[in-house]
Structure formats: C-alpha cells, structure tokens
Amino acid sequence: MMKRQKNMLSRLFLLLMLMAVTAWARAADVKFLSLNVNGTPIVINLAEHPKITYTGNVLHIQTGNSEATVDVPVADIQATTFQELSEVIGDANNDGHIDVADVVAVVNDILENPASSFVKKFADVNNDGNVDVADVVQIVNLILQGK
C-alpha cells in the first residue's frame, strides 16, 4: 500500500511539474513541448495553447481548436524536452533540416491533416500567405539545391 501511494505521489508531482514548466515555456517563448512516451515522441505546439487536464493517472492533451484529445498515461512518460523554432524557411516540420519530411508535412497540411510540429510560416516558402503546391515545389527545389 505504501509503495502504491509513493508511486501515485511521484506521478502527481510529475504532472504538476509538467503543467508548471508548460506555463513557463509559454512565457519564455518556447514553441514546442516534446514528451517521450514509451519511446514514441509526442510533440505539442505550445503556440496552439494546449489544454492539459489530468484524471486517473492520465494526461489529456487537447491542442488548438481541435476536439481530438491525446491521452497519455503519466507512468509512460519517460522524458520531457522543450524546443525553440529553428527559423529556417522550408523547414515545415521544424526539425532543423529541409528534407522530404518537410514536403510530407506541407502535403499533410494541404490535405488538412497537419502534424503538431507543423510551422505554417516556415512552410510558406514563397511568402504569399498561403501554403500550397507552389510551396511544395519550392521546398523540393531547396532540397535539390542542397540547402
């Protein structure tokens, strides 16, 4: 019984720390929160002002205007990191590189299925205010140019 209470307290402490650090990250202009959940990264775009709630040892994360919620068992969180924007035009998925993954990220956005790490201002390569096939072509050109 004592071990279970200690385990529950440590999970609650982790949750409180996560919520406090998320609030700090927003204030410090950190853009992404990345959780390592059983080896799978979950990237949360803090610019979308995610709603994080907790019930029964599970984090419920809802981002932006989405009705979809990601449920993460607190016990499964192995690491938490924060990322700043890379500020590289063409790096639509903000991983610090312009590659085929950015093309996929832009296509997914066009098909209205953007990833949480998608950064629209980096995807709009031609700076026309829209993310469209013209941007995909320009990202492919950047890849071919080795940029």
Side-chain angles (χ1 to χ4, degrees):
M1 182 74 164
M2 185 65 132
K3 184 177 180 180
R4 183 177 176 176
Q5 287 175 336
K6 185 176 180 181
N7 217 3
M8 215 157 93
L9 284 175
S10 63
R11 289 180 186 165
L12 183 58
F13 179 73
L14 173 66
L15 170 69
L16 292 173
M17 288 300 294
L18 178 62
M19 293 174 85
V21 172
T22 301
W24 163 84
R26 284 187 196 139
D29 203 30
V30 174
K31 303 299 181 192
F32 294 95
L33 165 65
S34 179
L35 301 175
N36 182 338
V37 180
N38 288 333
T40 303
I42 296 177
V43 179
I44 301 164
N45 184 343
L46 296 175
E48 294 178 351
H49 304 287
K51 178 182 176 187
I52 300 174
T53 56
Y54 176 77
T55 55
N57 294 328
V58 177
L59 283 179
H60 308 284
I61 304 167
Q62 182 179 357
T63 58
N65 296 327
S66 172
E67 293 298 317
T69 301
V70 176
D71 295 329
V72 180
V74 174
D76 292 347
I77 298 174
Q78 297 168 337
T80 304
T81 58
F82 292 93
Q83 305 165 355
E84 294 187 34
L85 292 176
S86 64
E87 299 291 336
V88 177
I89 300 301
D91 184 17
N93 65 355
N94 194 44
D95 67 355
H97 309 283
I98 299 174
D99 53 23
V100 175
D102 298 300
V103 174
V104 172
V106 173
V107 170
N108 283 337
D109 180 68
I110 293 169
L111 297 174
E112 299 180 355
N113 188 27
S116 62
S117 62
F118 181 76
V119 182
K120 196 173 239 55
K121 78 176 189 176
F122 299 155
D124 185 14
V125 180
N126 62 9
N127 203 26
D128 67 355
N130 298 311
V131 175
D132 52 27
V133 176
D135 298 299
V136 172
V137 171
Q138 288 197 318
I139 292 173
V140 169
N141 286 336
L142 289 171
I143 294 168
L144 293 174
Q145 294 168 9
K147 298 201 175 190

